[in-house]
Amino acid sequence: MSTDAQALTFRSAPVEQANQIAYERLTQAQPVLTDIQPAGDVVPGMTPNTILTSGAPLQWGQYYGGQRNAIIYGALYEGLAATADEADRKLHEGEIVVGSTHAHGCVGSVAGIYTASMPVFVVDDTTHGNRAFCNFYEGESRRRLNYGVYDQEVADGLRFIQHQLAPVLREAVLRSGGIPLKPLISRALRMGDELHSRNTASTTLFARELTPAFIDLAADGQRAQVHTALEFLYASDYFFLRLAMAAAKATADAARDVEGSSVVTAMTISCLEFSIRVSGLGDTWFSGPLPEVDCQLFEGFTEDDIQWIGGESHITETVGLGGFAQAAAFGLQAYQGGSAAEMARLNELMYAITVGEHPDFLIPYFGFRGSPVGIDIQKVVATGTVPVIDGGLAGKNGGQIGAGILRAPLECFQAANSAFQQRYPVEPR
Amino acid sequence: MSTDAQALTFRSAPVEQANQIAYERLTQAQPVLTDIQPAGDVVPGMTPNTILTSGAPLQWGQYYGGQRNAIIYGALYEGLAATADEADRKLHEGEIVVGSTHAHGCVGSVAGIYTASMPVFVVDDTTHGNRAFCNFYEGESRRRLNYGVYDQEVADGLRFIQHQLAPVLREAVLRSGGIPLKPLISRALRMGDELHSRNTASTTLFARELTPAFIDLAADGQRAQVHTALEFLYASDYFFLRLAMAAAKATADAARDVEGSSVVTAMTISCLEFSIRVSGLGDTWFSGPLPEVDCQLFEGFTEDDIQWIGGESHITETVGLGGFAQAAAFGLQAYQGGSAAEMARLNELMYAITVGEHPDFLIPYFGFRGSPVGIDIQKVVATGTVPVIDGGLAGKNGGQIGAGILRAPLECFQAANSAFQQRYPVEPR
């Protein structure tokens, strides 16, 4: 028996209790989309010259490649600089501030660029009172700001979202009195989504949820605006991902700071590393190397073309979705490769490293067994089984080049577990 | 080797060619919802005093139980009689005519009652030019006319469909320029439907398809009517079944009358028997006993409570959906019992009795293998494997009492195969 496994045995009772609390918070959260607002108006600590990006915080000089580009592009989009050189200088001098999304209640998809004017979904966990945010999906093009691309088309797309899409969606959300997201997620799991790399059903259900309000808006003179919104929603099968992420962030945050709990409350990727945060260990990030990946790349690309430019959409895996519910979404094979049998096997493995089964996220293929939820760093270290993550992949020249299953590095769980043992020493028997 | 298997071997070449034609017709049909009209206005041979019901035709005196009741209730609803006794008398004397749905281009769900005033979906196969119809889903109550129940609530529900729902749906369909159904069916198979006992995704996709037209109708003064229609659609997860049935009927009819083909073009149930029709054998029905069933009944019911009152929704199985695509719809376990493994096994079995794999109806769990399509009576007889059918079950006192997997009786395939051998004698070698 390894030292880690012994530790697990010795302090199982108090840790189990703490983890049960974390599990209950993870499963009892009720994330509700309550508003859509510019990030600068609602995100705590967001200033006009702040740019948020994915990953545990780095110094400006540490960012490279697509993530560095994406931050500079954010500055250009927001009008904080006229050229890339000017943006670089201002970022060096602190005139433009780079913030970590998670430090502001946000989560980033891939590079995860937030600027003050960008609209964000405001999601409140009505059970625990906390709030989280996510910005918008840019559309089906492989060339998007969050994949490290910026040109006139990308800028126009972002402006469309800000000035045309967000206002009418906001009106519909407010007229609807808020949209509870958990029922949509639960239902989408029965309709082939796992809510990370497949959001077809949830996007459809979300549009359906807003449709009565759209009908009223159309009757009240906003026919054209409603058509515009519907066209975008209907053309964007991944639209709901950002709502799944905001819901997952609100949910995972509810499980933060449970004294004595070894449950993971966030996983993040920057261009340099993969990092996790643990409920009983405060805001500290524990890092390891970038993940390994089994992928299916778009035609013309090889694994050498992959570049890590950040990513936090695996907040969904943190709450029992994505790779932890992939047996609900066999359709994903078309996107990220693999086989149904392998998807079921990987999904099944996650039960060995989690605290419990989700009472509301049910997987039909497993006979409606609840998805595995509450990643326990002690179980990860003891078994050597790491979380599997469905994810999109960025290319060295920007843009999405494929998708696949990522494996979190064991090292960050080992680092967290060492800190956990120091922080919660085993009582002598 | 059995006589039947020998027969298969001896005349495989010409039969295979004919079956390939039937297979192509089955898979290349393009059913499009083009209109919604009262049955009396569009269904061929429908008269004001005709009532259509499921099953191979019977004499009035042969109908019993729930199916007999349902026909009488249809007469009451249509105002053809004031009392059940008057209806019975008129049915005996031929003043009210009972017709077989299939003889009129229609298909019936369970008892399948059509009267002249009831609205029907008009579905055109734009590839082959034929047309089929199906009437409307009555809603989520277990007590429905098609399950042999009639009271004020049932009558009010039918009138709501006729006078409130159908008109606004019709306007939306016409404004949409018709709704191609095959793309919705293909997509729904990736979203957990098998289009017979699970239609959640397809109903959602259908409502989504109509929504742009609903927006325009609302803007043009029909806000209340649109809300009414959406409320019904959103509360009726089985709504699309009738569209799947009409689409399947249009598709199966395209494969009728292929000289020399042993492919099944319809399967039907009456209160007395299970019957099939074969492409190369004209309009003759070949009958066998009522099906066996593995079922899950609603609380308080036993298998003794099951009563067969008709059913033709397995036109969906005839075109590669329902039981032939059940591995796309593991969520069905909640409704009809079984396990994911058993669903996959039964689905897999159907490849042994069909002509080919559907190019557009893909099953994600099978790695996007096409669903088995084109039931070949020769293969059924040679293997002893019969079609499996997802279906709802009626109770002796009316109403739905559960759901399950039905197995078609081998006898009707044997009877058809004998006729097939007579009609297409084996050439001496």
Side-chain angles (χ1 to χ4, degrees):
Chain A
M1 192 183 275
S2 74
T3 310
D4 293 316
Q6 279 169 10
L8 181 67
T9 308
F10 293 164
R11 60 179 138 60
S12 63
V15 174
E16 265 184 23
Q17 282 165 24
N19 285 348
Q20 191 60 30
I21 293 171
Y23 163 81
E24 281 166 16
R25 293 200 186 161
L26 283 173
T27 53
Q28 287 171 14
Q30 287 290 351
V32 176
L33 172 64
T34 52
D35 204 348
I36 291 167
Q37 291 274 5
D41 291 357
V42 282
V43 171
M46 191 77 190
T47 66
N49 61 336
T50 298
I51 297 171
L52 303 183
T53 191
S54 298
L58 299 175
Q59 297 301 310
W60 170 239
Q62 295 178 282
Y63 291 104
Y64 73 92
Q67 187 164 19
R68 182 178 187 280
N69 289 343
I71 296 166
I72 288 173
Y73 296 152
L76 297 179
Y77 175 72
E78 194 65 18
L80 301 176
T83 66
D85 284 347
E86 185 192 346
D88 182 25
R89 184 181 55 72
K90 287 183 171 174
L91 282 156
H92 254 299
E93 292 169 1
E95 205 174 319
I96 300 173
V97 179
V98 178
S100 155
T101 45
H102 269 292
H104 295 265
C106 299
V107 268
S109 170
V110 200
I113 303 301
Y114 288 66
T115 62
S117 70
M118 286 182 185
V120 295
F121 297 113
V122 181
V123 171
D124 290 302
D125 170 7
T126 56
T127 303
H128 305 102
N130 53 303
R131 170 172 278 199
F133 312 91
C134 194
N135 57 5
F136 277 53
Y137 178 62
E138 294 172 59
E140 300 286 286
S141 168
R142 293 177 187 175
R143 297 172 55 75
R144 315 198 282 277
L145 176 61
N146 75 320
Y147 272 94
V149 178
Y150 191 69
D151 57 18
Q152 194 57 46
E153 199 179 322
V154 171
D156 289 346
L158 290 167
R159 289 204 179 87
F160 166 82
I161 288 167
Q162 183 175 334
H163 298 296
Q164 295 190 256
L165 182 62
V168 62
L169 278 188
R170 174 169 196 257
E171 277 210 65
V173 168
L174 296 183
R175 280 193 187 226
S176 303
I179 306 288
L181 298 175
K182 197 177 189 174
L184 299 187
I185 291 170
S186 296
R187 187 157 215 218
L189 286 169
R190 297 182 182 215
M191 295 170 72
D193 281 5
E194 40 70 274
L195 282 306
H196 185 166
S197 285
R198 192 168 160 92
N199 292 275
T200 305
S202 50
T203 299
T204 306
L205 292 172
F206 177 67
R208 169 181 134 138
E209 210 66 19
L210 291 182
T211 294
F214 282 147
I215 296 300
D216 287 334
L217 286 169
D220 294 344
Q222 296 199 49
R223 179 204 302 233
Q225 293 90 323
V226 167
H227 276 304
T228 299
L230 280 177
E231 267 168 38
F232 187 85
L233 283 173
Y234 288 1
S236 305
D237 286 340
Y238 287 81
F239 186 90
F240 193 84
L241 170 58
R242 307 309 183 88
L243 286 158
M245 286 170 61
K249 170 69 174 160
T251 300
D253 276 0
R256 282 171 71 179
D257 299 325
V258 176
E259 180 71 13
S261 168
S262 56
V263 164
V264 172
T265 53
M267 300 191 281
T268 185
I269 297 172
S270 69
C271 54
L272 284 185
E273 58 197 0
F274 188 107
S275 311
I276 64 169
R277 218 145 67 164
V278 176
S279 181
L281 295 174
D283 291 346
T284 310
W285 290 105
F286 300 94
S287 298
L290 290 163
E292 290 176 15
V293 65
D294 290 331
C295 58
Q296 175 165 295
L297 300 176
F298 302 146
E299 209 179 321
F301 294 101
T302 71
E303 292 207 22
D304 287 343
D305 296 314
I306 296 173
Q307 188 178 65
W308 296 99
I309 69 169
E312 297 175 335
S313 43
H314 43 312
I315 192 76
T316 53
E317 273 79 3
T318 314
V319 302
L321 299 169
F324 287 58
Q326 60 184 291
F330 293 121
L332 258 188
Q333 293 166 86
Y335 176 63
Q336 68 182 23
S339 68
E342 178 67 358
M343 292 177 76
R345 189 185 73 81
L346 291 176
N347 198 150
E348 185 96 34
L349 277 178
M350 297 301 100
Y351 288 100
I353 59 168
T354 41
V355 175
E357 299 177 11
H358 203 294
D360 301 309
F361 297 167
L362 309 181
I363 300 174
Y365 179 69
F366 289 156
F368 294 103
R369 185 179 184 186
S371 73
V373 62
I375 301 164
D376 182 348
I377 56 166
Q378 299 194 115
K379 291 183 177 177
V380 172
V381 171
T383 61
T385 298
V386 294
V388 290
I389 298 161
D390 297 330
L393 297 167
K396 280 181 177 152
N397 296 314
Q400 184 174 3
I401 65 165
I405 292 193
L406 286 54
R407 285 161 210 272
L410 188 58
E411 290 87 336
C412 54
F413 296 90
Q414 290 168 328
N417 197 43
S418 296
F420 192 80
Q421 290 185 50
Q422 279 201 304
R423 170 80 177 74
Y424 301 103
V426 180
E427 302 289 329
R429 297 205 291 183
Chain B
M1 191 184 274
S2 74
T3 309
D4 294 315
Q6 282 169 6
L8 180 67
T9 308
F10 293 164
R11 62 177 134 60
S12 62
V15 174
E16 264 181 24
Q17 282 165 24
N19 285 349
Q20 191 61 29
I21 293 171
Y23 164 82
E24 281 165 17
R25 294 200 186 162
L26 284 173
T27 52
Q28 288 172 13
Q30 287 291 352
V32 176
L33 172 63
T34 51
D35 204 347
I36 292 168
Q37 292 274 4
D41 291 357
V42 282
V43 171
M46 190 77 189
T47 66
N49 61 335
T50 298
I51 297 172
L52 304 183
T53 190
S54 299
L58 299 175
Q59 297 301 311
W60 169 240
Q62 295 178 282
Y63 289 104
Y64 74 93
Q67 186 164 18
R68 182 178 187 280
N69 288 342
I71 296 166
I72 288 173
Y73 296 153
L76 297 179
Y77 175 73
E78 195 65 20
L80 302 176
T83 66
D85 284 347
E86 186 191 344
D88 181 26
R89 184 182 55 74
K90 287 183 170 174
L91 281 155
H92 254 298
E93 293 170 1
E95 203 175 321
I96 300 174
V97 180
V98 179
S100 155
T101 44
H102 269 291
H104 295 264
C106 299
V107 269
S109 170
V110 200
I113 303 301
Y114 288 65
T115 63
S117 71
M118 287 183 183
V120 295
F121 297 114
V122 180
V123 171
D124 290 302
D125 170 6
T126 56
T127 303
H128 305 102
N130 52 305
R131 171 172 277 198
F133 312 91
C134 193
N135 58 4
F136 277 54
Y137 178 62
E138 293 173 59
E140 299 286 286
S141 168
R142 292 176 188 174
R143 296 174 56 76
R144 313 197 284 277
L145 176 60
N146 74 320
Y147 272 95
V149 178
Y150 191 69
D151 57 17
Q152 194 57 47
E153 200 180 321
V154 171
D156 289 347
L158 291 167
R159 289 205 179 86
F160 166 82
I161 287 167
Q162 183 175 335
H163 299 295
Q164 294 190 258
L165 182 62
V168 62
L169 277 188
R170 173 169 196 257
E171 278 209 62
V173 168
L174 295 183
R175 279 192 188 228
S176 303
I179 305 288
L181 298 175
K182 197 176 189 177
L184 299 187
I185 292 170
S186 295
R187 187 157 215 219
L189 287 169
R190 298 183 181 216
M191 297 172 70
D193 281 4
E194 41 68 272
L195 282 304
H196 184 166
S197 285
R198 192 167 161 93
N199 292 276
T200 305
S202 50
T203 298
T204 306
L205 293 172
F206 177 67
R208 170 180 133 138
E209 209 66 19
L210 290 182
T211 295
F214 282 147
I215 296 299
D216 287 334
L217 286 169
D220 295 343
Q222 296 199 50
R223 179 202 304 232
Q225 293 91 322
V226 168
H227 277 304
T228 299
L230 280 177
E231 265 167 40
F232 188 85
L233 283 174
Y234 288 0
S236 305
D237 286 340
Y238 287 81
F239 186 89
F240 193 84
L241 171 58
R242 305 311 182 87
L243 286 158
M245 287 169 60
K249 171 68 174 162
T251 299
D253 275 359
R256 282 172 71 181
D257 298 325
V258 176
E259 179 71 14
S261 168
S262 56
V263 163
V264 173
T265 53
M267 300 192 281
T268 184
I269 298 172
S270 69
C271 55
L272 283 187
E273 58 198 0
F274 188 108
S275 310
I276 64 169
R277 218 148 63 167
V278 176
S279 182
L281 295 174
D283 291 347
T284 311
W285 291 104
F286 299 93
S287 298
L290 289 163
E292 289 177 15
V293 64
D294 290 332
C295 59
Q296 175 166 291
L297 299 176
F298 302 146
E299 208 179 321
F301 294 102
T302 71
E303 291 207 22
D304 287 342
D305 296 315
I306 296 174
Q307 189 177 66
W308 296 99
I309 69 169
E312 297 174 337
S313 44
H314 43 313
I315 193 76
T316 53
E317 274 80 3
T318 312
V319 302
L321 298 170
F324 287 58
Q326 59 184 294
F330 293 122
L332 258 188
Q333 292 165 87
Y335 176 64
Q336 68 182 24
S339 67
E342 179 67 359
M343 292 176 77
R345 189 185 73 81
L346 291 176
N347 197 151
E348 185 96 34
L349 276 179
M350 297 301 101
Y351 288 101
I353 60 169
T354 40
V355 174
E357 300 178 10
H358 203 295
D360 300 308
F361 296 169
L362 309 181
I363 300 175
Y365 179 69
F366 289 156
F368 294 103
R369 184 178 185 186
S371 74
V373 63
I375 301 164
D376 181 349
I377 56 166
Q378 299 195 117
K379 292 183 177 177
V380 171
V381 171
T383 62
T385 297
V386 294
V388 291
I389 297 161
D390 297 331
L393 296 166
K396 280 182 176 151
N397 296 313
Q400 186 175 3
I401 65 166
I405 291 191
L406 286 54
R407 285 162 210 272
L410 188 58
E411 290 87 337
C412 54
F413 296 90
Q414 289 169 328
N417 197 43
S418 297
F420 193 80
Q421 292 186 49
Q422 279 201 303
R423 171 81 178 74
Y424 302 102
V426 180
E427 301 289 328
R429 296 204 291 184

